[in-house]
Amino acid sequence: MKWLQFLRPADSIDYQKTKEIIDDAGPDEVTILDVRQPNEYKNGHIPGAKLVPLPELPDRLLEIDREKPVLVY
Amino acid sequence: MGGRSRVAAQMLSGKGFKNVYNVAGGIKAWQSRTAVGPQDLGVDVFEGSDAPEDVLTVAYSLEQGLRAFYLTMGEKAENAEVKALFTKLSEIEVKHMESIVRTYQKLGHAQTTGDQFEGMAKKKAMEGGLTTEEYLDLFKPDLSSPVEVVSLAMSIEAQALDLYQRMGDRLSSEAARAVVLKIADEEKAHLASLGRLMESL
């Protein structure tokens, strides 16, 4: 069975670039989005990250500011 | 890990968010302050044709792919709970395949049998794509780690969900749209149950 390649390209950035974006914009001007499960978040997360587990994401898009850069992990 | 963030980033871009980035390596890269190579790949298979027939053929291939993935994972998983869930999910994907065929038949193709439709879907799937093995190799999940296996499954379900929602928006046939959106809802429920499983591991 072959998988269709149905993935959309999304920009991936490394640690350095992530840090740059946060430093340049200021922590209040970016959304750091944690899409893991709550227990994973509890065990450690990037400071200031907003938790929206992947299963809830499609229904919670309104909570995310469209005007700000979103950094997803 | 398991590509959840990449899928989430793709979802957001697909919904019109402008500046979305996937933090490669996730929390591990952040904590160790190390760079991890980007993991970009793929194309949007729905650029171009959006005839309901084509959409349904692609949907069928996708369900076949999901089913194959769950069967493989069900065999390989070492954790009993993970094994049982994957077996159940693979059975549900078969039901999805059946309802896709019925919808296709309703769109004026009453003569097309399930086997014929499967042949068409197979042809479509061969045009591009990865085998389940290649897909696993791409993400290199640690198959002895239930967390990684479930994480990968969540990524795949989220992609399927995203795909169906985008498909649904493009379909002008009410009947076809209803089917696709119903399947999208069920994939959403799968995703939620995988999330609960993840919490329990």
Side-chain angles (χ1 to χ4, degrees):
Chain A
M1 176 65 213
K2 287 262 186 184
W3 278 83
L4 277 166
Q5 287 185 320
F6 55 87
L7 315 180
R8 282 199 161 189
D11 285 337
S12 283
I13 52 173
D14 62 11
Y15 168 75
Q16 212 54 42
K17 178 79 180 152
T18 306
K19 191 85 174 49
E20 266 172 45
I21 292 176
I22 298 173
D23 289 346
D24 286 355
D28 294 339
E29 297 308 314
V30 293
T31 304
I32 304 169
L33 190 66
D34 189 329
V35 297
R36 299 171 303 156
Q37 292 300 118
N39 59 354
E40 294 172 280
Y41 182 87
K42 265 182 238 148
N43 288 337
H45 55 264
I46 299 180
K50 178 180 173 61
L51 174 68
V52 181
L54 184 58
E56 296 172 20
L57 185 60
D59 295 328
R60 294 179 59 186
L61 295 177
L62 289 176
E63 294 175 32
I64 304 161
D65 193 334
R66 286 176 178 271
E67 304 304 316
K68 296 179 184 171
V70 186
L71 307 174
V72 192
Y73 77 100
Chain B
M1 191 169 63
R4 273 179 286 169
S5 66
R6 186 180 46 74
V7 174
Q10 288 167 347
M11 262 186 178
L12 293 175
S13 317
K15 306 276 184 204
F17 285 78
K18 298 280 183 295
N19 292 309
V20 184
Y21 304 95
N22 169 37
V23 179
I27 189 75
K28 279 182 194 161
W30 183 266
Q31 285 166 341
S32 59
R33 286 158 174 55
T34 51
V36 176
Q39 35 175 303
D40 289 329
L41 76 162
V43 291
D44 185 345
V45 79
F46 287 100
E47 291 306 339
S49 174
D50 60 353
E53 282 87 351
D54 281 342
V55 170
L56 290 172
T57 318
V58 172
Y60 189 89
S61 312
L62 181 61
E63 293 300 335
Q64 274 185 320
L66 282 171
R67 178 169 179 269
F69 173 76
Y70 284 132
L71 284 176
T72 308
M73 292 286 86
E75 280 164 22
K76 289 186 178 174
E78 289 163 14
N79 176 297
E81 206 180 336
V82 173
K83 210 184 238 314
L85 180 71
F86 282 0
T87 306
K88 195 178 111 199
L89 290 174
S90 74
E91 286 159 7
I92 296 171
E93 306 306 359
V94 175
K95 293 205 169 63
H96 287 174
M97 286 156 69
E98 288 165 359
S99 69
I100 290 167
V101 174
R102 279 197 302 276
T103 310
Y104 185 83
Q105 289 166 336
K106 274 187 211 150
L107 290 175
H109 306 280
Q111 308 303 319
T112 307
T113 65
D115 283 348
Q116 283 168 339
F117 185 79
E118 183 153 343
M120 288 159 49
K122 224 174 246 164
K123 205 162 149 256
K124 188 115 193 152
M126 292 306 284
E127 286 168 11
L130 304 164
T131 63
T132 301
E133 290 301 326
E134 286 164 346
Y135 201 86
L136 289 177
D137 196 45
L138 192 67
F139 291 102
K140 297 191 177 52
D142 175 359
L143 294 173
S144 65
S145 158
V147 171
E148 282 208 23
V149 172
V150 175
S151 177
L152 180 59
M154 287 177 78
S155 310
I156 295 174
E157 282 291 350
Q159 279 170 5
L161 170 60
D162 183 39
L163 189 70
Y164 283 127
Q165 287 183 337
R166 282 191 279 136
M167 264 185 196
D169 292 342
R170 290 201 192 182
L171 287 170
S172 49
S173 152
E174 276 301 322
R177 196 200 338 247
V179 172
V180 165
L181 292 181
K182 182 168 180 284
I183 295 176
D185 273 351
E186 289 178 18
E187 303 298 6
K188 197 193 283 184
H190 289 182
L191 192 52
S193 59
L194 288 166
R196 283 191 296 274
L197 178 66
M198 180 75 106
E199 288 284 304
S200 74
L201 291 172

